[in-house]
Amino acid sequence: MPRVVVVLGLVSLITDVSSEMVTAVLPLFATLALGLTPLAYGMLDGLYQGATVLVRLLGGFFADRLRRPKLVAGAGYALGAAA
């Protein structure tokens, strides 16, 4: 198996674990600490999910157009780590 596949797999695993940890407690934080209603949190979560889909589509489009999928994947993971 190529080294780049293993490295991207590990980076993806670590990124997914960290995002799932936040996702598990975010509804409680938003409703209890920030005072959002469940409806407001649902709308916020829907906007987040929609933005995620758009960014993934744009990333795939640019990876195909530039013919540099590793560069686009690396930029995406770097942006996620920085955020």
Side-chain angles (χ1 to χ4, degrees):
M1 188 173 310
R3 186 175 136 227
V4 70
V5 172
V6 173
V7 171
L8 277 175
L10 289 173
V11 170
S12 178
L13 174 69
I14 292 168
T15 303
D16 288 347
V17 167
S18 66
S19 67
E20 290 298 325
M21 289 186 330
V22 170
T23 303
V25 297
L26 188 60
L28 290 174
F29 175 74
T31 55
L32 297 177
L34 299 179
L36 291 178
T37 65
L39 177 64
Y41 175 75
M43 291 175 62
L44 182 66
D45 188 50
L47 287 172
Y48 164 74
Q49 296 293 332
T52 301
V53 169
L54 289 176
V55 169
R56 287 181 184 182
L57 285 171
L58 286 173
F61 174 76
F62 284 121
D64 288 344
R65 291 290 263 185
L66 298 174
R67 297 183 189 258
R68 308 271 318 257
K70 285 193 278 188
L71 176 68
V72 174
Y77 281 118
L79 182 61

